[in-house]
Structures are given as C-alpha cells and as structure tokens.
Amino acid sequence: MSCVLPFINLEARTDGTMAVCCIMQESAKKDDGTEFNLANGDTLSDVKNSKWLKDIQHKFLSNEKLEACNNCWHEEKAGIQSKRLRENFYWGEDFTPNTKALDLKLGNICNSKCRICSSFASSQWAAEELKMNPNNEGARKFNKQGMWPKTNEHFWNDIDSHLQSIKKLEFFGGEPLMIERHYEILERCVELGIAKNVCLSYNTNGSIFPEDKISLWEQFKKVEIFLSIDDINERFEYIRFPGNFAEVITNLGHFSKLNPDIFSIGIFQTISIFNIMHMTELTEFISKHFDMIDIHYNMVFTPSHISPKVLPKRVKDKINILYGKNNADHVNNTLKFMNGEQYESSEYINFLLQTKQIDKFRKEQFDKVFPKFFKLIEKDWNGIQ
C-alpha cells in the first residue's frame, strides 16, 4: 500500500471536520456527500465505519495517488521526507488494520495568533479578525466550530471505543496544553491499564511548561514534545505573536531536562515567507545552546499567501543566489520545494495586503523586522495600498 494512515489513523480537526491525517486536503464525508462534523454531534466512529474511509483504503491498496494527498507527493518530489514516508517508516508493514493512532486537535483554543496561522486553528486569530472586520463570517464560523469539544459529549463518550487498540495519541492545536480536558483521555488510559503501551505526541507553541502534569505523562510509554520555533529573537516574536522568545527558550530548557528514557524533545521549524531567508540561524542557535534536540522542518502549503511558493520568480531567484549551492540538506530541499511550483500572483498580493493590515493593527513593522527580505519586495510593498 502507498500509505499506512488510512488503515490505522483518524484525525479530528479544530473546526470539527475529520480526516485520515493532517496533510490530507479532504474531509470525511457521509454517503450524501456532506461532511461529518464533530460540531454537529458526529463521532470518530462514524468516520471509521463510513463508506468514504473504505473507498480511501481501497484506493491506497491499489497504490492510487489521491489528489487530496498532493502535499505529500509535492514534498517527496522536492526530496523532503513527507508525512506519508515518516508514518510508513514508523509503523512498518507489520500491523493489523484498526485504530492505532488518533490525531486530536481539540478545538481552536490558543493563546497565540501566529502569522502562519488563521482562525481555523486559533481563537486569538478569530477574535482579532472580528475586531478588524466585525462582518467576517468565516472567522465567526471557525470560532463557533472550534468550540466543539465543549458541546459534543458524544465525542468524549466515543473515545473509549478506540482506546483499547491505541498505540499513539497526538495532540496538536490550537494550543493543546491549554486544553485541560485532553488530560481526561490520558487519565482514562491510566485507568484502563494501557498507558504503558501508548506513545503521546504534542505540538506546542512553547508558552507553557505544565509541571503538574509530568507525573501523569511519566506513566506512558513515550512522550514526544515538539515546540514550534520558526526563528530567533524579534523574528520569532513577529511570526509567533505574542510569543516571547526568551520564555519559550526557558521552557525548552525545562522540557530538555525531563527523563530521556520517556521524553523526546524536538522542534518544528515551519518555513514560510517570513523566515525563508533565515533558515540556518535557528539551527545554529539550538546547536550552540542545547544538546541532542533535533529540528524538524515543515513546509507551508496553506495559507497559500504565506507559502514561499507564492513569491515572484525574480524574488525566488535572488533567494537562490543568496544561499548558493553548499547548504545543509534541509535548505536545499526547501529551495527545491519553493522553486517547484508557482502559486497564483493574486496570493502574493494577498500576502502584501494582509501583512500591511496586520502590521497596522498590531503596531508592528515588517520592514524593520525583516530588512533583508524587505529589500527584495520593497517596490511591490510600496505599490500596494
């Protein structure tokens, strides 16, 4: 088969839709073509037993390349290890099709409004978008749907039916460490006596170190904690607003001191327009101040307007010249990813307009934080009102 995930994994998304994984550009559908949605009272079991999932599994058994999975195919073409390849390696071929893993994004509750995010995954973003435009129905919709963990008790009652066979639980966000109720799932694993067989994985913005939960985590087989850190100092704070770089690095230090037999600490660096010219500086900083912390590199596909793919070719060419040829693999692969596809020019204009609008609202200055990059787009920036 071309991917293991349709046979073992289910994803709950922040807006209540569900899918096979976070990379898939499609949501699970009912027989009538409408989407399953946790905000409407549906459950993971509804998707597990659906014709939609059985059709997906059949296509993957036939090695069919689904258009909904193009993100993985594009990454692999650029020489980047896609989620498909990572998961196939992690699970191997020796498995029984069943719910082995759950990727749970328990709503959009978050304390950040990162430039690379949206109201889909951040309640703070939704609030800001509504302040800027009270008629923004998209933000209002996402904010309402993002509350599904508080309104859908069927979801919480249904979880037990998946836990007995579970091997891995992933908690992304929103900010998962703000969502207190997710600890109920962990406590239930302990009650059922299965925690020792379950690996946990978190993607956190690093603003929280939950000292009072360490003893609970220690009852699990393995706990992976990935901090989202895209750059250093003021560039980090611009991208991950209103994150504080010093505080996040302090928390990274706390996480790094946990028992290495149980805890694995890493960093997700997401490469977007904002840090495409500074891909090596975080690596140098972490190497200097920490031992044995790996950085994993994510590419921005969406929102389209902040993906490096949206940059005009003349800007891409200058970035390529800046790096030259003797680079680390992740830099060369990212440049290949950037150059491999050209997004619509309208999305580039969208980047300029939205960045200027948010700068004005937050009282920030893109040109001061990213002066080298700004020189490449200054004419475009000044030409857009």
Side-chain angles (χ1 to χ4, degrees), residues 285-343:
F285 179 92
I286 295 300
S287 298
K288 180 179 179 180
H289 295 284
F290 294 92
D291 295 324
M292 304 300 291
I293 292 184
D294 292 331
I295 299 179
H296 305 263
Y297 305 96
N298 293 330
M299 305 296 111
V300 171
F301 289 93
T302 58
S304 301
H305 69 278
I306 49 101
S307 171
K309 289 177 174 287
V310 83
L311 292 170
K313 184 178 184 302
R314 60 177 173 78
V315 177
K316 291 181 179 180
D317 289 344
K318 291 179 180 178
I319 293 172
N320 290 326
I321 292 171
L322 169 73
Y323 283 104
K325 295 182 179 180
N326 297 318
N327 304 298
D329 287 345
H330 79 274
V331 174
N332 286 332
N333 289 339
T334 302
L335 293 175
K336 187 176 179 181
F337 168 83
M338 176 185 74
N339 297 324
E341 188 179 6
Q342 186 65 52
Y343 282 0

Side-chain angles (χ1 to χ4, degrees), residues 338-360:
M338 176 185 74
N339 297 324
E341 188 179 6
Q342 186 65 52
Y343 282 0
E344 295 291 332
S345 59
S346 59
E347 289 296 334
Y348 175 58
I349 295 172
N350 190 21
F351 159 72
L352 298 171
L353 290 171
Q354 286 208 25
T355 304
K356 294 178 81 168
Q357 180 187 26
I358 297 165
D359 271 5
K360 183 177 180 179

Side-chain angles (χ1 to χ4, degrees), residues 163-199:
L163 291 182
Q164 289 291 353
S165 61
I166 212 73
K167 298 298 180 185
K168 188 173 186 180
L169 289 168
E170 295 183 293
F171 297 101
F172 286 34
E175 172 48 50
L177 300 184
M178 287 184 67
I179 302 172
E180 286 292 324
R181 201 168 180 188
H182 96 270
Y183 293 112
E184 292 181 17
I185 299 174
L186 307 191
E187 290 163 355
R188 185 61 177 147
C189 288
V190 174
E191 290 175 9
L192 293 170
I194 62 171
K196 61 183 180 295
N197 302 318
V198 177
C199 295

Side-chain angles (χ1 to χ4, degrees), residues 192-209:
L192 293 170
I194 62 171
K196 61 183 180 295
N197 302 318
V198 177
C199 295
L200 305 179
S201 183
Y202 289 86
N203 184 10
T204 171
N205 62 26
S207 64
I208 299 168
F209 179 71

Side-chain angles (χ1 to χ4, degrees), residues 37-54:
N37 199 300
L38 293 155
N40 298 329
D42 296 324
T43 67
L44 291 167
S45 289
D46 293 329
V47 174
K48 182 179 178 180
N49 299 321
S50 68
K51 180 179 181 296
W52 175 86
L53 183 58
K54 290 178 173 59

